[in-house]
Amino acid sequence: GHDFVEAQLEKANLSKAVLNRANFSDANLEEANLHSAEIEQASFSFASLRGVNFRYARLKDAQFDNANLRCADFSDADLSGADFSHAVLSGAVFTGAALFKANFSDAVIENCIFDKADMAGAILTGLHLKHSSFVNTSNGLQGATSGIKKQVV
């Protein structure tokens, strides 16, 4: 894949780009547009992704561990198997997203929207959850809240 380690791509337009297995570790993509992009099995570890538009993007098995995803929009994106462990997701939107087997271990989820998302098999261990919406979420938090450290929904 392509190497974008530590790249400065703030406000870049990568909509509809095909960048499977790309490495965006430690990159700055704040407010970038990745609408409808295909970026499966890519690494965004420790990246700054505040306000990124990931709407309708294909991000299967992508690594977002330790990333700053404040106010990122993942509406209708395919995030099956994605890793959000230790990520900051404050204000992120996941409306209608496919989050099958996504890993949210120890992630910070505040003021997020997961309405109509498919969270079947999602890993929620150690989650820091506050003021978030899960309306019509399939297989989400029902019966899966035992590992959540703080829950104020």
Side-chain angles (χ1 to χ4, degrees):
H2 299 282
D3 187 356
F4 297 101
V5 174
E6 298 181 353
Q8 295 300 314
L9 297 166
E10 192 171 0
K11 298 183 181 178
N13 183 1
L14 300 171
S15 62
K16 298 183 181 176
V18 178
L19 295 166
N20 293 322
R21 291 174 294 285
N23 187 352
F24 290 95
S25 296
D26 292 301
N28 177 3
L29 285 117
E30 292 193 3
E31 298 180 21
N33 180 8
L34 284 88
H35 187 285
S36 301
E38 182 178 325
I39 316 175
E40 297 182 357
Q41 298 176 344
S43 175
F44 293 93
S45 299
F46 294 94
S48 184
L49 303 166
R50 181 182 51 82
V52 173
N53 176 3
F54 285 108
R55 293 176 64 93
Y56 295 98
R58 291 175 49 193
L59 297 155
K60 284 183 182 176
D61 299 314
Q63 303 294 311
F64 292 98
D65 55 290
N66 298 285
N68 176 359
L69 291 154
R70 292 176 192 273
C71 301
D73 188 352
F74 290 99
S75 297
D76 300 300
D78 185 351
L79 294 153
S80 301
D83 181 3
F84 292 98
S85 59
H86 301 279
V88 177
L89 297 160
S90 302
V93 179
F94 292 90
T95 302
L99 294 162
F100 178 72
K101 292 190 175 178
N103 181 2
F104 289 95
S105 296
D106 297 302
V108 176
I109 296 181
E110 296 179 352
N111 302 307
C112 293
I113 301 172
F114 287 88
D115 298 352
K116 299 179 183 174
D118 180 359
M119 298 184 73
I123 300 166
L124 307 171
T125 310
L127 190 68
H128 298 269
L129 179 64
K130 186 176 179 183
H131 304 299
S132 293
S133 176
F134 292 85
V135 177
N136 294 323
T137 301
S138 59
N139 301 303
L141 295 177
Q142 307 88 312
T145 57
S146 59
I148 296 174
K149 289 181 180 173
K150 184 176 183 183
Q151 180 182 6
V152 185
V153 179

